[in-house]
Amino acid sequence: MRLSRYFMPILKENPKEAEIVSHRLMLRAGMIRQQSQGIYSWLPLGKRVLDKVNAVIREEQNRAGAIELSMPTLQSAELWQESGRYDAYGKEMLRIKDRQERPMLYGPTNEEMVTDIFRASVKSYKDLPLNLYHIQLKFRDEIRPRFGTMRSREFMMKDAYSFDLTREAAEHSYNKMFAAYLRTFDRLGLRAIPMRADTGPIGGNLSHEFIILADTGESEVFCHKDFVGFDIPGERTDFDSVEGLQAIFDKWTSLYAATSEMHDEAAFNAIPEGERLSARGIEVGHIFYFGTKYSEPMGAKVQGPDGKEHFVHMGSYGIGPTRLVPAIIEASHDDNGIIWPASVAPFDVVVINMKAGDEACDDTCELIYAALTKAGKDVLYDDTDDRAGTKFATADLIGVPVQIIAGPRAVANGEVEVKDRKTGARETMTIEAAINRFVA
Ligand code: 5CA
């Protein structure tokens, strides 16, 4: 992508409305724009990051055996009347009428709709276990939308829904998502700690929130320090192994961890003082087991091996991609801007032409741009005629992990400078070596 032809509306000044660093940096880097309260457009740079976050989520959902589909944002009120949640959900639900005066709503979550899909076609235990997910916009008319896309009214959610014959089988499904979440957040460069959580309007009595520690987090959390060093389940994790996944779950729930709603002061105080961690956190995921709460009122049942009909045991599993993007920034930035982990960086590398219009600089940059693009890298080429200082500031602000800097003096020697955004380390090397670093 040539910066001269891209759309990346950088702000020079700090936006006044932004209270936390991630919101400030997302606005300054031209990633998002507020359209009305708590409703955002994702501008091209932001969209790239969001897509990469979703790609990681999708890979790990698929690895754990979940199957992707796509459900609509608008739902009929009838389904919600069946489950009894239409009245119970309250003011957070945006209610709409169509031209026939039929009550509709903008989905805040999809338990009812997915249960409807399930009951229409699954009739036998032989089709279980089943886990269906989508990545879709939701709407919740939050009282206090704030911090940009961290708590917005329209937001994106990856929501998965599992169906099993028995509670034991449903626990295995729960554990699959539990392990998939540990892997997902780790790949996004985050350390997320599963904590016992309140189930709120989703219901059920087994639930974990995945919390990343950050001073600007909205939740108050209490946990054992050792979580910070726990191993993440590897790529070869066998998601079909009941014992293997139970062992991961048991390990990750063996120590105290709870949000303020579930906090047990006495249990926390039983931890030796030096091992306690009391901090603020951002909830990036939330998983629930709620048994037959929806399958019973909505009549979602299958024939079991005993020939009888059984209401299916369900769970639901949410991750907030539009919250994860600012959460990653909260965890990874410095005074100059964002520092993206490679897995979600909008571009792999930015090529900075220090003297656009200079034949040698132009030729060198074009050569590098073409070679890296051909190698399948996402390359941003700053071919603008901005001052060098502006170019450096922009590159640092948008947080691309590697910068290749081509200035007249180095280029005259057949060289460029390669800068690591995170460490700030700069290295001069031949043009060929700079290319090979990515192509090899
Ligand atoms: N049906 C269940 C799981 S699929 C559910 O709705 N869970 S939830 O309410 O906990 O939301 C799941 C995730 O969505 C949260 O962990 C959070 O990451 C994200 N999320 C929820 N509300 C918002 C919001 N207002 N803005 C941004 N992200 C949100």
Side-chain angles (χ1 to χ4, degrees):
M1 180 61 63
R2 286 169 200 275
L3 187 55
S4 62
R5 297 184 201 163
Y6 198 41
F7 180 67
M8 199 172 79
I10 299 279
L11 298 183
K12 296 240 158 40
E13 305 292 319
N14 267 331
K16 281 190 207 69
E17 71 267 32
E19 293 170 61
I20 61 171
V21 67
S22 57
H23 189 194
R24 199 154 57 233
L25 290 173
M26 286 176 80
L27 290 171
R28 284 201 48 213
M31 293 176 64
I32 53 168
R33 175 175 171 76
Q34 179 168 297
Q35 301 300 154
S36 55
Q37 199 197 24
I39 301 181
Y40 288 84
S41 289
W42 284 74
L43 304 182
L45 190 77
K47 172 77 163 68
R48 273 180 173 265
V49 177
L50 187 58
D51 284 349
K52 293 214 170 171
V53 166
N54 284 336
V56 170
I57 294 174
R58 187 172 277 124
E59 268 181 42
E60 294 303 329
Q61 289 293 294
N62 295 347
R63 189 197 303 279
I67 305 167
E68 188 170 10
L69 80 173
S70 178
M71 292 178 266
T73 52
L74 292 181
Q75 307 189 19
S76 137
E78 269 170 41
L79 275 178
W80 288 67
Q81 282 154 350
E82 278 191 57
S83 73
R85 274 208 297 183
Y86 189 60
D87 294 326
Y89 215 94
K91 287 202 161 177
E92 282 206 353
M93 183 189 275
L94 180 65
R95 296 156 206 260
I96 312 161
K97 283 213 172 107
D98 70 7
R99 66 198 298 166
Q100 270 100 30
E101 293 289 310
R102 272 194 292 256
M104 312 276 297
L105 56 101
Y106 192 136
T109 176
N110 281 55
E111 279 81 5
E112 285 79 358
M113 187 173 279
V114 78
T115 305
D116 178 62
I117 292 172
F118 179 90
R119 72 181 170 187
S121 14
V122 183
K123 305 288 177 203
S124 162
Y125 75 96
K126 290 181 186 151
D127 297 323
L128 304 183
L130 182 65
N131 184 329
L132 299 174
Y133 78 96
H134 70 162
I135 302 178
Q136 176 63 289
L137 292 171
K138 303 284 181 288
F139 193 92
R140 292 182 186 172
D141 206 350
E142 301 268 352
I143 303 183
R144 212 157 14 115
R146 56 179 184 160
F147 303 153
T149 64
M150 188 77 89
R151 177 172 295 282
S152 51
R153 296 199 298 163
E154 188 187 58
F155 60 96
M156 194 169 272
M157 198 195 289
K158 181 289 297 177
D159 38 329
Y161 302 87
S162 66
F163 302 88
D164 286 277
L165 182 66
T166 62
R167 181 183 171 116
E168 293 68 49
E171 280 172 3
H172 182 206
S173 294
Y174 188 90
N175 291 348
K176 286 183 191 172
M177 288 293 110
F178 190 95
Y181 276 34
L182 292 173
R183 286 190 48 77
T184 303
F185 299 127
D186 182 62
R187 285 185 60 189
L188 298 174
L190 298 170
R191 167 64 38 160
I193 302 173
M195 305 203 179
R196 287 296 309 275
D198 189 19
T199 58
I202 308 297
N205 49 24
L206 172 62
S207 166
H208 288 89
E209 282 180 7
F210 286 74
I211 305 267
I212 63 161
L213 304 179
D215 292 341
T216 49
E218 291 187 290
S219 320
E220 208 185 344
V221 300
F222 305 87
C223 69
H224 197 289
K225 262 202 176 125
D226 284 1
F227 276 112
V228 176
F230 272 12
D231 285 342
I232 300 294
E235 214 168 76
R236 293 231 185 90
T237 300
D238 178 1
F239 283 86
D240 290 326
S241 164
V242 174
E243 302 75 32
L245 287 194
Q246 192 60 43
I248 292 170
F249 177 85
D250 289 346
K251 165 93 182 155
W252 278 87
T253 52
S254 60
L255 297 174
Y256 186 83
T259 60
S260 54
E261 298 98 39
M262 302 293 277
H263 186 46
D264 174 349
E265 195 76 38
F268 186 60
N269 288 338
I271 304 172
E273 197 166 353
E275 292 162 34
R276 288 181 216 155
L277 197 64
S278 149
R280 301 203 69 82
I282 302 170
E283 179 207 319
V284 287
H286 198 162
I287 61 178
F288 304 81
Y289 163 74
F290 43 71
T292 59
K293 175 175 171 176
Y294 299 92
S295 58
E296 261 189 73
M298 296 186 67
K301 50 195 174 188
V302 294
Q303 191 169 51
D306 55 4
K308 293 192 189 129
E309 305 244 278
H310 300 264
F311 291 115
V312 285
H313 287 250
M314 293 175 57
S316 72
Y317 314 91
I319 293 183
T322 48
R323 175 177 289 179
L324 268 170
V325 174
I328 292 167
I329 298 174
E330 290 294 328
S332 184
H333 66 269
D334 63 15
D335 289 346
N336 298 328
I338 303 166
I339 304 173
W340 293 115
S343 57
V344 297
F347 295 97
D348 301 313
V349 51
V350 52
V351 178
I352 303 175
N353 187 340
M354 299 265 286
K355 201 170 179 197
D358 173 275
E359 202 178 321
C361 284
D362 290 352
D363 287 351
T364 300
C365 289
E366 291 290 346
L367 180 81
I368 297 172
Y369 180 49
L372 298 188
T373 304
K374 189 163 169 235
K377 299 294 163 194
D378 284 331
V379 191
L380 180 66
Y381 171 23
D382 187 346
D383 59 342
T384 64
D385 46 23
D386 286 339
R387 288 181 309 110
T390 306
K391 292 191 179 208
F392 292 144
T394 298
D396 279 356
L397 173 65
I398 65 171
V400 175
V402 183
Q403 304 171 6
I404 298 182
I405 302 158
R409 214 171 308 151
V411 164
N413 294 330
E415 290 177 334
V416 287
E417 245 190 315
V418 176
K419 177 179 155 186
D420 182 297
R421 170 64 183 92
K422 187 170 181 182
T423 63
R426 288 161 170 259
E427 218 182 311
T428 300
M429 61 181 78
T430 65
I431 295 162
E432 203 188 359
I435 293 172
N436 283 341
R437 181 178 271 218
F438 291 93
V439 174

